[in-house]
Structures are given as C-alpha cells and as structure tokens.
Amino acid sequence: SYLYWHGDQLYELPVSYWSDGNRWINSPGFKDGTMVFSRAVVPRCMECHATFIQARSPDPLSNKYDPASLVTGIACERCHGPGQAHIAREQANQNKPPADPSPSAILSPAKLSRDRQVDMCALCHNGIRSEELVPAFSYVPGKSLDSYLHPNEGDLAEHPNVHGNQVGLLEKSRCYLSSPNMSCSTCHDVHQPERAAAAYSDRCLTCHRVESCGMFKTMGQKIAENCIDCHMPIQSTNAIVSETAGQVIRPKMRNHWIKVYP
C-alpha cells in the first residue's frame, strides 16, 4: 500500500499492489467505484512500519508530521534502544585502549527476560493491541509493553486473528506455554533473511521426535522435512480485506498458533 504527502499531512492512497496476485487492487477498506484520498495515516500505523517519524501534534489521530524526520524501515534502534548515548560514549573513548570495561550504552536483547524479548516483537506483531497509553514511538526496548499499550481483553484475546498477531497466537501454543525460554528468536534471526517455511522444522525437532507424530506411520522420516505446513498452516486473515471489481480478497498468512489442525 502507498502513502502520499499533502504538505505535512500523510494519507493512504486508495490503490495497493497485491504481490500474491500480481495485480492492482483497492486498498483494504476502500470500496469499489470510489477514489477517496483523505484516509489519514496515524502515528500508531507508522510505528509498526517505520523506525521513527516526529508527530507535530499530541493527538493520536493526527496525521501531521515533520517529513524530514522520517526514518524508513525497521532499523537497529527498534530492538537495541536509542543509540545516541552509545555513539557519544564511543566518540569520547576513541583514543582510549580498546579494553574499556565500561558498559557500551546499548541494549542487548539477549540479556532480557523472555517476556521483555517478546514484548519487543509484540509492539507490532500483536496487532489487536492498538489502544495506546502513551504516544506512539514512546516504547523503549526492555520495558513492559503493558505500560505502553492496553492489554488484550475479552473476545479479541480469546480469538486472535492471523494478521499481525503472531505473538498473541504463539502465546496460546502449548510449545510456548511448556518452554520457559521459547521466544520469537527461537525460530527467527532478525539479522538474517527469512528462510523457507519448511526449514524451520529443525527448530521443532530440537524438542519433538518425528516418531511421535500421528502421521509418522504413513509418511515415515519424510515428515521431518516439513512440520510447519501442518502445525502452522497458512490461513486467510479477517483483518485485511480488499473488495476489488466485485471480488473479496483476503491475504493469507501463516498461523503462529502451533497445534494439531484437522
């Protein structure tokens, strides 16, 4: 989906490119036969799709920003915290011996508890947590996400949607509940390109034996090549829906609720 600037205001365009279908579609939420250019892009949206942008209003529904402040993509500071103190420290110590034992003033997520590590991912990958307690881009890695976003409640928490809610789904999995050290980084290495889905089966097999799978009797050792497609199937999302030329398009995403599916 595409955004455009009108002065210092940011809006979403009514057309998107659907890579799975290799064609143009109406942006999700836009109706057939309309060309609306006034859908504001609010800070909470930008928080999950950019490293930073400076809002010009404290209103969480405002779409006024400093265009020059935009840092596109998801960069190092989103996980390692603000780098200003780290840079200042290194510049001040650049002429000192390298064996400086003082802290580097940069966060190492590996030293955090499991909950705090997962919170960093849940900022964006727990999509139904959208009610802010403080302004967007206030979250600091290592802090509890509950002090920033309102916790999940009620029916939404019981029936998480596959889109953007990977953490909520993972937390319902027996694997996660039974493994105190399991986190998103157990499978995903944010410093490396994503692997093919089936390749993540090696993570499953650090705990599970292929002989224990109900399909082992019919598939044998071949089952070890792809645990993922059975236990984390690709499903359609109910959160992102496009209606284009009379057709309803629901993008498909991999379900992170790890379990036995019919």
Side-chain angles (χ1 to χ4, degrees), residues 161-203:
N161 190 277
V162 67
H163 175 78
N165 196 16
Q166 290 82 9
V167 167
L169 291 160
L170 178 65
E171 289 178 338
K172 297 174 75 67
S173 307
R174 284 182 63 186
C175 290
Y176 184 87
L177 296 171
S178 302
S179 306
N181 296 320
M182 184 180 183
S183 69
C184 305
S185 60
T186 299
C187 296
H188 297 286
D189 183 344
V190 298
H191 299 119
Q192 299 292 333
E194 284 294 309
R195 298 184 289 165
Y200 290 100
S201 299
D202 60 6
R203 300 289 84 200

Side-chain angles (χ1 to χ4, degrees), residues 47 52 82 123 132-141 143 147-148:
E47 188 172 36
F52 182 75
L123 176 66
E132 300 173 348
L133 301 176
V134 294
F137 295 103
S138 298
Y139 175 73
V140 176
K143 302 297 184 181
S147 63
Y148 168 62

Side-chain angles (χ1 to χ4, degrees), residues 75-96:
C76 307
E77 290 186 318
R78 294 303 297 269
C79 295
H80 293 282
Q84 186 174 11
H86 170 72
I87 294 171
R89 172 196 175 276
E90 295 303 316
Q91 289 177 336
N93 294 341
Q94 60 184 348
N95 295 322
K96 293 183 179 180

